[in-house]
Amino acid sequence: MAKKRKKFLARMQWKLLVVSVALTIAFLFLVYVILRINVKDGKRYEKIVLAQQSYDSIEIPYRRGDILDRNGTQLATSEKVYNLIIEPKNILQSDKVKKDTTAALKKYFNLTDDAIDEALKDSGSLYKKMLKKLTYDEIKDFKDFTTNHAKDDAKNVKGVWFEDEYERFYPYKSLACHALGFTVSGNVGQGGLEGYYNDELNGTNGREYGYLTQDMTLERTTKAPINGYNVISTIDANAQNIVEKKISAFMNQTGAKNVSVLVMDPNSGEVLAMANSNSYDLNEPYEDSAIAYQFESGEEGSISEQIKALSDDERLDHLNQAWRNYIISDGFEPGSTYKTFTIAGALEDGVLNGDEQFFCGGKLEVADATIHCHNHEGHGQVSVEQALTQSCNVALMQIAQAEGRKTFAKYQDVFGFGQSTHIDLTGEAYGLIYKEDKLNPVELATSSFGQGLTVTMMQVGTAFCSVVNGGNYYEPHLVKQIVDENGGVIKNIEPTVLRKTISSETSAFMRNALAEVVSNGTARKAQVEGYTIGGKTGTAEKLPRGNGKYLLSFIGFAPVENPQVVVYVTVDEPHVEDQASSGLGTIIAQSIFQELLPYMNIYQTGSGNESSGEDIGDEQATPIFEGDAPNERLANDLNVTTETQTNQTTETTTETTTETPQGGDQPTNDQPPDSPDVGVDTGNGGT
């Protein structure tokens, strides 16, 4: 009997059509959703997928920019070094690979079996750093070996590669160490230009991403690093070398607590050289050699034994002292170099016309105090020029009296004392001065010849440049230009005149008067044959007075007719029997001028300074107050000045101490004083 055929009823056909349409719509909707997700969140889901696969990420370091001198000489650079990386997981893939790889590591890198076995314990790792900071010469033989595929043992060396890194390097070791600074923790600048221009010198790391797909294909993508900018400084490496050579010769032959030298271009504010006697190797700033100068062999043992006995905190304190840049960070009583600014301000304000005469009988009554000149016998009748040439305290006090506190305080500000010079270095101190309301008669008198106030070398150097260059106060700076790695200019740092201090006429008068100081005054030892030089000496007795300890200084310029260079020297506690009359600051400056001027192509102008008359000898420092308490008055003066030093920086992990004036080791005080009592002998801090 034949089977009965089933009929495909219309109702069933309709159901099939509905199901087909629904499935088609669902499929199209799914496609739409997938496309939408891919467009909107594809990258996010891709990362999720990649995160579930075998994946690695290698940081590609940027190269920190170089620091160059004004002529293109590398003062600080970054050299590529290599870290040896092994992959235990890949090395352990077979006994043959492990054997040949281990043999190669032992042969080319002198690794021991124990060191390799310890590293391979983490069998699933793809990253184990074995050696750090290898040079190319140290890895070259291994790379040559592994690229020689003809050797069976080379073919089986697996899971070994090199990670690039950069190490900061200073080709000239200690040259300009305080101006340059150094780096720690990779690329963190500490002090100097390294610290101030840290952001410009640093770049941005790149990264290489790699992952294994499901079919075990290695895929990689690389984001290139962005290297740091190069900094072109105003430093002249040859001028810096001349200065450091002269300092070193003096320290070896005579010695002192500290010798510092600042060399500037008076027509731009550019610093050509900056050096302190406590130099250290920038490549090894933490080594014992950096602080050895602070110790002497004695009852406590040898220098090395004393250093070894230091606690970590004590050692860091000594290191901070070694890294400290005296030229910007320490204050001192300037002594007679300050007379330059007292006279220049009085001339500019019309208090003097240059023809005045003053009588010096060896002392002057000020309020209820008797203040002596450094020449207790007196200079007799002196002109304005002779007041500077013979460094007459009495004449300067009379000039300050004529100015009055308002005008004197005005030129303290005009010349930048008690304030920042805006030098592009960290850790600048402001100095300590009497403000107008505290310039009582005695304070005004002593300030006129550089006693009872403190300054920094940077302040004096910058202000002096304005005195001899026609009156333009340039912002001092150590960087001329910032460029990228291809030499493209990112920023030009042009000379900037911040203000006018004095007129060109006053400047001309001061240049001639300062030349007379070298020709016939207290600075004859600064003369260099064939060159005209002007300048001013300073001899400041340190606190406590009467201890025979002095800070000697000389600031000079050349040539007098058209100043091209300013040289400022300070010598703190020279190792000689009679510090006050040694004239050592002038002598060191002369030795620098003698070599520096020909190097700078400054041509001789003839016979140089022409001397006439009797040599008045070196500047002396003698007690200036009458009385029986030689240390009290100036100690009070300097304890209570109106400015404190708060602009200090942190060295490594420890803050440097608040600036203390080194001219007399004076403490600072936030509050202005009442006028101290008068009539006591405090010694002389301003001859």
Side-chain angles (χ1 to χ4, degrees):
M1 180 176 178
K3 290 184 178 180
K4 187 177 180 180
R5 290 185 62 185
K6 292 182 179 180
K7 293 183 178 180
F8 194 56
L9 301 177
R11 184 169 56 86
M12 297 177 64
Q13 293 177 8
W14 173 251
K15 286 183 178 180
L16 180 61
L17 177 62
V18 171
V19 171
S20 298
V21 170
L23 290 174
T24 301
I25 292 173
F27 177 75
L28 291 174
F29 179 75
L30 181 61
V31 170
Y32 166 76
V33 170
I34 292 173
L35 290 174
R36 186 171 180 275
I37 290 173
N38 192 53
V39 171
K40 183 179 179 181
D41 296 317
K43 292 294 183 182
R44 181 165 65 89
Y45 286 110
E46 181 181 2
K47 289 180 181 179
I48 294 173
V49 172
L50 291 178
Q52 295 172 347
Q53 298 175 344
S54 181
Y55 175 83
D56 65 25
S57 171
I58 302 169
E59 190 171 72
I60 305 174
Y62 64 83
R63 184 181 185 277
R64 186 175 172 91
D66 292 343
I67 300 177
L68 312 172
D69 91 330
R70 64 191 303 114
N71 301 311
T73 302
Q74 280 186 339
L75 300 177
T77 188
S78 293
E79 295 186 336
K80 184 176 283 189
V81 292
Y82 305 87
N83 299 324
L84 174 64
I85 309 299
I86 67 170
E87 300 171 340
K89 182 176 181 179
N90 290 327
I91 293 174
L92 295 172
Q93 63 183 269
S94 71
D95 291 340
K96 181 61 175 173
V97 169
K98 178 184 176 183
K99 177 183 176 183
D100 290 349
T101 302
T102 299
L105 291 172
K106 291 165 60 178
K107 177 180 179 181
Y108 292 101
F109 300 107
N110 295 319
L111 291 172
T112 64
D113 286 323
D114 289 342
I116 296 172
D117 290 342
E118 181 67 27
L120 295 178
K121 284 182 179 180
D122 189 2
S123 58
S125 172
L126 289 172
Y127 183 92
K128 184 73 175 179
K129 189 179 292 187
M130 294 296 293
L131 296 174
K132 299 179 181 179
K133 297 183 178 180
L134 300 172
T135 65
Y136 182 76
D137 288 341
E138 291 175 312
I139 70 170
K140 182 178 181 299
D141 290 344
F142 177 82
K143 290 176 75 72
D144 290 344
F145 166 71
T146 55
T147 54
N148 186 353
H149 298 296
K151 294 184 176 181
D152 290 336
D153 50 353
K155 292 179 182 178
N156 288 306
V157 174
K158 307 290 184 182
V160 179
W161 52 281
F162 298 99
E163 179 183 68
D164 294 351
E165 190 177 319
Y166 288 98
E167 184 174 31
R168 204 61 168 164
F169 176 66
Y170 302 90
Y172 297 97
K173 297 182 178 180
S174 63
L175 188 76
C177 57
H178 293 96
L180 293 177
F182 56 94
T183 60
V184 296
S185 303
N187 288 315
V188 180
Q190 286 292 312
L193 298 178
E194 293 277 30
Y196 193 89
Y197 289 97
N198 190 63
D199 290 344
E200 289 82 357
L201 289 163
N202 278 345
T204 304
N205 286 329
R207 188 167 289 276
E208 182 180 84
Y209 303 93
Y211 59 92
L212 292 174
T213 62
Q214 290 180 345
D215 60 357
M216 298 305 289
T217 300
L218 180 64
E219 297 287 346
R220 289 196 177 275
T221 182
T222 301
K223 179 183 177 183
I226 300 173
N227 293 329
Y229 296 139
N230 296 329
V231 169
I232 300 175
S233 73
T234 63
I235 295 291
D236 186 314
N238 289 320
Q240 182 78 29
N241 185 57
I242 290 170
V243 167
E244 293 193 14
K245 181 175 63 176
K246 299 300 183 181
I247 291 176
S248 179
F250 173 81
M251 293 299 288
N252 289 332
Q253 295 169 9
T254 305
K257 183 177 180 180
N258 179 65
V259 176
S260 294
V261 178
L262 174 65
V263 180
M264 297 182 70
D265 179 348
N267 302 305
S268 66
E270 292 180 352
V271 175
L272 305 179
M274 174 183 280
N276 302 285
S277 55
N278 56 311
S279 61
Y280 59 93
D281 188 341
L282 289 165
N283 297 304
E284 298 177 333
Y286 290 89
E287 294 301 310
D288 290 352
S289 57
I291 60 175
Y293 76 96
Q294 299 176 34
F295 300 87
E296 294 181 4
S297 294
E299 294 180 0
E300 295 90 355
S302 66
I303 292 176
S304 60
E305 289 172 340
Q306 293 178 62
I307 294 175
K308 190 179 296 184
L310 296 173
S311 68
D312 290 344
D313 287 343
E314 289 173 335
R315 181 182 177 83
L316 190 56
D317 286 342
H318 283 287
L319 286 169
N320 279 328
Q321 189 62 35
W323 301 332
R324 190 180 180 96
N325 187 350
Y326 178 90
I327 292 170
I328 66 165
S329 296
D330 288 64
F332 58 93
E333 288 183 275
S336 289
T337 54
Y338 200 83
K339 294 173 181 176
T340 304
F341 311 109
T342 301
I343 292 175
L347 286 166
E348 184 62 24
D349 221 60
V351 175
L352 299 177
N353 60 30
D355 296 329
E356 289 81 3
Q357 295 285 321
F358 303 93
F359 178 76
C360 172
K363 61 184 179 181
L364 188 69
E365 300 294 331
V366 179
D368 57 351
T370 299
I371 306 177
H372 286 274
C373 184
H374 74 89
N375 180 353
H376 281 206
E377 300 301 318
H379 291 106
Q381 204 75 16
V382 295
S383 66
V384 175
E385 185 179 89
Q386 288 170 331
L388 196 64
T389 302
Q390 299 179 35
S391 203
C392 178
N393 290 353
V394 170
L396 265 293
M397 287 188 282
Q398 294 178 57
I399 291 171
Q401 286 177 345
E403 282 184 293
R405 65 166 71 183
K406 183 175 182 179
T407 299
F408 189 88
K410 168 186 169 183
Y411 282 98
Q412 283 186 142
D413 291 339
V414 166
F415 285 117
F417 299 111
Q419 56 191 281
S420 171
T421 65
H422 304 292
I423 182 73
D424 47 350
L425 291 175
T426 55
E428 183 180 12
Y430 291 170
L432 302 166
I433 62 171
Y434 288 104
K435 292 297 187 180
E436 180 183 342
D437 62 337
K438 295 301 177 183
L439 274 171
N440 299 314
V442 173
E443 287 68 39
L444 178 62
T446 57
S447 294
S448 72
F449 51 81
Q451 176 177 292
L453 55 90
T454 66
V455 298
T456 67
M457 287 187 69
M458 197 72 247
Q459 288 174 338
V460 174
T462 306
F464 190 86
C465 285
S466 77
V467 170
V468 302
N469 71 11
N472 296 315
Y473 188 98
Y474 284 97
E475 183 176 71
H477 57 284
L478 278 93
V479 169
K480 292 169 65 74
Q481 206 172 49
I482 297 173
V483 301
D484 63 25
E485 59 184 323
N486 299 314
V489 176
I490 302 301
K491 183 179 182 181
N492 278 317
I493 301 175
E494 302 290 347
T496 302
V497 178
L498 298 181
R499 56 187 172 272
K500 193 79 172 176
T501 56
I502 56 177
S503 65
S504 58
E505 293 78 14
T506 301
S507 178
F509 180 95
M510 293 304 301
R511 287 197 299 272
N512 291 330
L514 291 164
E516 190 66 18
V517 175
V518 176
S519 295
N520 296 301
T522 58
R524 286 193 177 193
K525 291 177 180 178
Q527 294 178 15
V528 176
E529 185 176 357
Y531 294 95
T532 54
I533 294 174
K536 188 68 188 78
T537 53
T539 306
E541 185 177 17
K542 299 176 67 174
L543 290 175
R545 311 300 187 189
N547 62 4
K549 295 181 179 181
Y550 295 84
L551 187 142
L552 312 177
S553 62
F554 173 81
I555 186 166
F557 67 100
V560 171
E561 302 78 15
N562 181 26
Q564 299 297 305
V565 63
V566 165
V567 175
Y568 187 20
V569 178
T570 62
V571 184
D572 190 6
E573 297 184 27
H575 298 164
V576 294
E577 186 174 349
D578 185 5
Q579 296 180 10
S581 60
S582 61
L584 289 172
T586 310
I587 293 170
I588 295 173
Q590 190 270 352
S591 69
I592 292 171
F593 273 126
Q594 200 164 34
E595 192 168 341
L596 184 63
L597 296 177
Y599 164 71
M600 294 181 65
N601 292 320
I602 296 175
Y603 297 107
Q604 295 186 1
T605 54
S607 58
N609 294 76
E610 296 183 2
S611 299
S612 61
E614 182 181 354
D615 187 350
I616 67 172
D618 296 315
E619 198 171 358
Q620 299 291 320
T622 57
I624 62 168
F625 278 97
E626 291 184 356
D628 299 321
N631 299 320
E632 293 176 6
R633 179 178 177 80
L634 264 293
N636 287 337
D637 284 358
L638 286 165
N639 278 339
V640 290
T641 42
T642 62
E643 294 293 326
T644 58
Q645 314 314 305
T646 57
N647 188 25
Q648 297 301 310
T649 57
T650 299
E651 300 286 4
T652 63
T653 59
T654 301
E655 291 187 358
T656 57
T657 57
T658 301
E659 185 271 345
T660 299
Q662 296 301 304
D665 300 324
Q666 307 93 336
T668 62
N669 192 313
D670 287 333
Q671 300 301 321
D674 296 325
S675 179
D677 295 333
V678 295
V680 293
D681 179 5
T682 63
N684 178 36
T687 61

